Amino acid sequence: MTIVHESEVKEERVPGRFIRWIADETTLQPKHLSSCVIRVLPGETVQPAHAHPEGEELIYFISGTGQVWIDGEIGDVRPGSVVLFEQGKVHMVRNTCDEEMKVVCFFAPPTGLANYEMHEDVEFVATR
């Protein structure tokens, strides 16, 4: 049995969030997925906008409220919300409340920051 607690995994600061890879090649070593926990501080937006050209991402909101931006569409999220970022869809997450947002992210197939497709020119605004 392989078990890891998120507090045992090194946290890294990246633009707009703190991230811990709880299931990747260095922790649980899964074959078909990877997973991380992110913390987004009040008023912060996960930057830059990005996509996953090789797979998809499913996120589950543990705490905090905010919005997701997916290819120009904005949706509201709260604890218990689940969002699917389909393969290749450009997306971002924004914390709109006054408390820390905590999100668990699942990727299939496994991925890491090095495999993200970055879209530095995209801003968190709705397109019409």
Side-chain angles (χ1 to χ4, degrees):
M1 180 183 319
T2 306
I3 298 174
V4 67
H5 189 276
E6 70 178 89
S7 66
E8 300 166 346
V9 178
K10 182 182 177 190
E11 185 174 69
E12 179 181 352
R13 173 74 159 139
V14 293
R17 66 205 179 277
F18 295 89
I19 188 168
R20 292 178 197 262
W21 287 95
I22 56 173
D24 67 358
E25 69 279 352
T26 61
T27 55
L28 295 177
Q29 303 175 344
K31 294 179 183 171
H32 305 287
L33 64 85
S34 58
S35 182
C36 66
V37 174
I38 65 170
R39 296 185 305 111
V40 183
L41 299 179
E44 291 285 317
T45 300
V46 170
Q47 296 284 334
H50 60 277
H52 307 287
E54 304 297 321
E56 56 192 7
E57 176 182 8
L58 181 118
I59 64 174
Y60 177 73
F61 288 81
I62 302 294
S63 65
T65 58
Q67 297 178 316
V68 294
W69 184 99
I70 306 170
D71 280 351
E73 294 185 42
I74 295 175
D76 296 324
V77 292
R78 58 190 165 88
S81 293
V82 179
V83 179
L84 175 65
F85 298 133
E86 296 175 56
Q87 183 174 356
K89 296 279 186 172
V90 179
H91 58 275
M92 287 181 277
V93 174
R94 173 181 284 165
N95 182 345
T96 60
C97 69
D98 59 1
E99 67 180 69
E100 179 180 279
M101 174 185 280
K102 189 172 186 179
V103 183
V104 182
C105 310
F106 302 91
F107 305 88
T111 194
L113 292 174
N115 296 332
Y116 284 28
E117 178 184 278
M118 303 302 185
H119 294 265
E120 308 259 349
D121 58 326
V122 174
E123 294 187 29
F124 199 114
V125 294
T127 56
R128 306 237 184 251

